[in-house]
Structure formats: structure tokens, C-alpha cells
Amino acid sequence: MADASLKRTPLHAIHVALGAKMVPFAGFEMPVTYPAGISAEHKAVREGVGVFDVSHMGEFEVTGPDRNAFVQRVTCNDVGALKPGQAQYSGILTKHGTFVDDCLVYRFQDKLMLVVNASNIQKDWDHIVDQKGGANVRLRNISDEVALLALQGPRAEETIAPLTKIGVKMIPYYEFAEGQVAGVQCFISRTGYTGEDGFELYSRADDAEQLWGLLVGQHGAAPCGLGARDTLRLEAGLPLYGNDIDDTTTPFEAGLNFIVKLEKGSPFTGLEALKRQKLEGIRRRLVGFKVLEEKVVARHDMAVVLDGRQVDVVRSGTVTPTVGAAIGTTYLPRDQAKPGTRFEIDVRGRRVAAEVVKMPFVANRTKRQ
Amino acid sequence: MSNIPQDLYYTEEHEYVKKTEDTSVVQIGITDYAQGELGDVVYVDLPKLGSTFARMEVFGTIEAVKAVSELYCPLAGTVVEVNTALENDPALVNRDPYGDGWMIKLRVKSPKELDQLLGSSAYAGHIGE
């Protein structure tokens, strides 16, 4: 299992000591589950509080006088709508309007920060640097210097509040504050990837162990791995790059219209293609489905057959640990992309019935305004 | 380190064979190592009573949250009992793979085939323990 070519997060030794099952993921050796198991970890986040080491995620810092205009150009959401202390979900697009990656954009007083998927760090970096042109900005890939812990679940707020003078109760959804948590300098963002309330803590890599120790040891947050992260995000209807979205799919097709600001007043890569797609209409749409047959799980890449013809593959597919139902996502022709549509999935050579259902599969309980 | 009882027989595909009081009938399930690798088991699809299988033919599938795996029949024979408790509590496979988490009992066609299975130390070597 120990592969020297794989990178490690600052918490690697802790995961191993906790008995985590470590797997290669996006070039990192990451915990997929701890001895409690995916179902228990999933449940901890839905009912209590769990903490994830997601330090493998990439972070790019953008400084300089043209920083806002530059990030406007390389992302499709409107950076101009952000005040310092706010964050937004956005997309980094190709000129065809498809995803290079999805990302978070954080606006600080004096800089912007993009948080990207670990599997795409190099690709995103090259794509962004290519567009620098004459912009007066300084780009830094700070991924290796930054640790990221996600504290998620209905008990997240009461877990972090006693550890910091930052008024975490007052941080709205998709806003952040800088300060100290138990003596560790970090910034706390009310964001996450589980559909529950929670916070993401960005700190220096060297401080991550101390933060983790406090949250898990003294404050009882359950260590959670990538397995539970995936089942939680899928239940919450949140897309995963490489499954639900990729460089062949656009934000409109993925139902992410809210991150596309065609009228933001500055051109961005992918704008022309998306304008055209908006005019012409999309041909397919990402949908959620449930498998109708018992004891069958649809998995990533299985063929999706509608009216006798393969239209796509299963993009994401799993069984939700809480409900015990097999769910997933796929792209269907727009006219049929509505709840109630039935189709079939090729499960190891057998056609199994599935039905489109509304996403999210589980109602989000984030602190929306 | 996973639990590898000395008195059982094993396949390279991580099934085990346990002798029962009836010398022609064996109990079959997956190993402790296999359940650990699979993680939380959510469904076990098992054959009907009376089904017959050739040696190393697929007799069922096991779905965990993260992965699916086929189950291979370690010996040729006929299914004489199926663990129906897995229907409602598939996690028994995780909790007690060699006990309550067993899968099928098989009337063995040719007991000599047992010789072709791995012993506990060979299986331990196979999984690198």
C-alpha cells in the first residue's frame, strides 16, 4: 500500500495511527474510511459532527492590482459580487464552456484565493497561468503550505465555538473570518461538501495536527474519510468533478446555472459558448435517480439505456448508508430529464430499472440566509 | 492483521470453507480480510436452495458502500442452506465473517477438491500478512 510516488497530507501519521484504510486518490495517500466504517461516519455527520482531512485540495493565491479582473476572466461566477470575507462556488471553464474544474473563490481584503480539486491542481494551474497575459497579478500555488479540515454536521458550530474568539455563530453561509482557533492561526469558512451545516478550517500545514487533535480528541468530532464524503455529497446533490461534471459538460447541463453570470460585465473564458448554449437550449441535463430493483447498486460508468438506446453512463452511483437505497446521477436528454422518467442501467450484463427523482436526495441543512 | 483461523480452507478470491458436522456439507463465506477491504456491506445476493455450482463459479455478489465483489464457489456442489439473516442484516458479514456472517452451506460433490484450496498460512502469505 505504501507507494512512494504518492503525496501525503500533514495528517498522514494520524490517519495511520487511527487505523484508517489508506488509498491512492488524486496523487495522495488518503483515508477512505476509519475503523468505524463509512455508514457510521456518514451518520456522524448527518446527526452529530465529523471532521475530514481534505488537505489534498489545491489552493491558488492571486494578488496584485488586477486580481479581481483576472479571476473574473478565469471563472464564470461574478467575483464583483463578493465583499471581502465572502466566498462563492464557481467554475473554471474551457472556451467551449465545459469544466476545467469547479472551485471556490475566496475574497480577502488584499487577495483572492481559489480552492480547486486535488486531481486537477496542475491542469488548473497551467490553464490559469496561460491566461495571465499582461495582467498585473501574482499567482502562487500554495497547495502544499495549506492544510484544510472540514468540520461538518449539526453539532459543528457548538464544537468549534468554545475553541475560538471568532464569533462563529455570526459567520453566514459562504462567508469566512480570520483568527485563532486554540492558538492556531486559520480562517474559518462556513462552507462544506456534505449538505450539513459546518465549517472549513484553512491553516498552515504544520498546525493541522494540533487542530485535528482538538476537534477529534477533546471535542468528539468523528474522523471521517473520503468514502463518507462521497456518500454525503451525493445525497446532498453536490457534483463531483470527474463524475458529474468534466470537460465535456457545461454548468447549464449540470444544473449549475447559478454559478454562470453571463451579464457580469466582464468577459470570461467560455462566455461565448455558454451564451450560445443559453440561446439554443441544452440538449441534456444531469438528473438524480434511484434504482428500482432491490439489492442492486448502480456504479460509476455503467451504461444508461433510455428507450433501447444508450444515452449516457452512470456518473455517480452508490448506496446511501442511511436510507439503504441505491442512488446515482446521469445525463438524460432534456425532454426526459424530469422526475418519474424510467430508464435502465446495465448492471453486469443485466438491465435494471431506475427512475429519475428530484435532487438533492436528502434536504440540505446548511445555514442559508 | 486480519483473523485467519487455522482450521479453515481459503481461496485466492478470499472465500473460506469451514467443515460442518455433516462431513459432506461445508459452510462458505468471505474472510475477515475481505470484509475489511470491502468495508460496510449493504447487500448480499445469494443463490436459491438447490442451485448447483462448479468449482470457482460465481454464486453471488456482495455490495459494499464503495465497491461490489463477486462471490466464487470454492468447491463444486449443491446449495443446501442459505443464510437468510443477511437479508435484513448484511453487516453481519463485517461483524462476524466466520460465524453469523456465513453465506451458504454446500453439499460438496467431491471432497477431494478441498486439497486444492489454500491453508491458513498460504492464505496469510497470499494477502501479505
Side-chain angles (χ1 to χ4, degrees):
Chain A
M1 196 58 99
D3 180 341
S5 70
L6 292 174
K7 294 172 82 168
R8 294 176 167 186
T9 76
L11 296 170
H12 183 272
I14 289 185
H15 302 318
V16 172
L18 285 170
K21 192 170 142 197
M22 306 298 287
V23 298
F25 179 81
F28 284 80
E29 198 181 335
M30 295 296 291
V32 66
T33 176
Y34 298 85
I38 292 178
S39 301
E41 293 165 27
H42 181 108
K43 200 169 165 217
V45 171
R46 287 273 178 261
E47 295 174 6
V49 61
V51 63
F52 302 80
D53 173 18
V54 282
S55 302
H56 61 312
M57 300 287 286
E59 292 87 10
F60 303 152
E61 189 185 82
V62 189
T63 51
D66 296 343
R67 61 184 181 276
N68 288 334
F70 179 69
V71 178
Q72 283 288 43
R73 190 190 310 159
V74 298
T75 63
C76 61
N77 207 334
D78 183 9
V79 178
L82 289 178
K83 296 191 198 79
Q86 293 182 329
Q88 70 188 182
Y89 180 56
S90 191
I92 302 169
L93 306 181
T94 67
K95 63 177 195 258
H96 306 295
T98 58
F99 282 97
V100 176
D101 204 357
D102 58 343
C103 66
L104 288 182
V105 177
Y106 286 88
R107 182 166 185 179
F108 294 76
Q109 207 57 259
D110 56 349
K111 65 181 175 191
L112 290 157
M113 187 175 81
L114 272 61
V115 182
V116 302
N117 283 297
S119 52
N120 292 335
I121 293 174
Q122 193 57 48
K123 180 182 76 166
D124 292 348
W125 177 255
D126 294 342
H127 175 86
I128 290 170
V129 169
D130 265 356
Q131 297 176 75
K132 193 163 166 261
N136 190 355
V137 292
R138 181 160 179 252
L139 297 169
R140 277 184 68 218
N141 179 355
I142 55 172
S143 304
D144 291 343
E145 300 159 32
V146 177
L148 176 54
L149 301 186
L151 184 73
Q152 300 281 298
R155 281 187 50 227
E157 188 182 274
E158 65 180 64
T159 303
I160 189 108
L163 297 172
T164 179
K165 286 182 185 155
I166 300 172
V168 288
K169 287 188 171 67
M170 303 302 288
I171 303 176
Y173 191 50
Y174 269 79
E175 297 204 10
F176 65 96
E178 294 177 83
Q180 294 201 333
V181 175
V184 170
Q185 186 66 30
C186 56
F187 77 90
I188 302 179
S189 152
R190 197 157 208 151
T191 48
Y193 195 47
T194 61
E196 296 297 328
D197 185 26
F199 300 89
E200 293 182 299
L201 280 69
Y202 296 80
S203 71
R204 292 192 321 132
D206 291 345
D207 291 333
E209 265 193 41
Q210 193 180 336
L211 276 180
W212 175 277
L214 278 166
L215 297 170
V216 173
Q218 295 169 27
H219 294 269
C224 296
L226 294 182
R229 186 168 158 87
D230 190 52
T231 53
L232 288 159
R233 72 92 197 161
L234 183 54
E235 276 188 353
L238 301 169
L240 171 64
Y241 190 91
N243 286 29
D244 309 290
I245 56 175
D246 56 29
D247 61 5
T248 68
T249 54
T250 71
F252 292 149
E253 292 169 339
L256 297 171
N257 304 46
F258 73 97
I259 67 169
V260 179
K261 300 290 157 58
L262 297 175
E263 312 296 336
K264 69 181 177 179
S266 57
F268 62 88
T269 307
L271 173 65
E272 291 311 316
L274 290 182
K275 270 186 178 165
R276 208 159 46 241
Q277 189 172 53
K278 188 167 190 190
L279 211 63
E280 292 168 359
I282 52 170
R283 295 204 184 90
R284 58 177 184 169
R285 172 79 159 76
L286 185 68
V287 296
F289 66 79
K290 66 174 185 205
V291 177
L292 296 177
E293 194 173 311
E294 279 188 12
K295 296 196 177 190
V296 177
V297 183
R299 306 279 181 186
H300 178 62
D301 261 349
M302 288 177 173
V304 166
V305 178
L306 180 70
D307 301 330
R309 189 172 65 91
Q310 184 178 350
V311 291
D312 200 39
V313 293
V314 171
R315 297 294 177 139
S316 294
T318 192
V319 52
T320 76
T322 37
V323 189
I327 59 170
T329 61
T330 188
Y331 283 89
L332 290 187
R334 188 190 55 187
D335 294 346
Q336 280 121 315
K338 51 179 186 286
T341 297
R342 297 231 173 152
F343 60 92
E344 292 173 316
I345 298 168
D346 188 319
V347 179
R348 295 181 291 280
R350 205 164 61 81
R351 295 278 174 88
V352 172
E355 183 177 294
V356 177
V357 295
K358 260 183 81 173
M359 278 205 286
F361 301 97
V362 171
N364 280 276
R365 294 190 296 181
T366 48
K367 298 278 186 223
R368 289 181 198 274
Q369 290 297 292
Chain B
M1 294 291 270
S2 57
N3 178 14
I4 309 172
Q6 284 187 358
D7 56 339
L8 307 187
Y9 300 84
Y10 300 90
T11 70
E12 292 186 350
E13 307 295 335
H14 312 290
E15 290 83 15
Y16 70 82
V17 171
K18 188 182 198 172
K19 290 180 171 170
T20 66
E21 285 171 4
D22 181 339
T23 51
S24 67
V25 172
V26 297
Q27 173 184 315
I28 291 166
I30 64 165
T31 65
D32 183 40
Y33 173 80
Q35 71 76 21
E37 286 297 300
L38 276 170
D40 293 0
V41 173
V42 288
Y43 306 128
V44 187
D45 189 28
L46 295 177
K48 290 191 173 64
L49 280 182
S51 309
T52 62
F53 295 97
R55 180 171 133 75
M56 294 315 279
E57 189 179 350
V58 172
F59 74 88
T61 53
I62 182 164
E63 294 267 10
V65 176
K66 285 302 279 183
V68 61
S69 183
E70 305 211 290
L71 300 165
Y72 296 90
C73 202
L75 305 164
T78 305
V79 177
V80 293
E81 208 175 325
V82 172
N83 188 359
T84 51
L86 297 182
E87 189 88 10
N88 292 322
D89 191 3
L92 282 171
V93 175
N94 295 116
R95 293 201 301 273
D96 191 10
Y98 301 116
D100 292 343
W102 65 277
M103 291 173 180
I104 56 171
K105 290 186 181 166
L106 194 77
R107 185 168 302 283
V108 177
K109 198 172 156 195
S110 159
K112 277 206 311 282
E113 281 183 356
L114 270 178
D115 300 341
Q116 296 176 40
L117 298 173
L118 304 176
S120 58
S121 55
Y123 181 67
H126 173 62
I127 61 174
E129 287 188 358

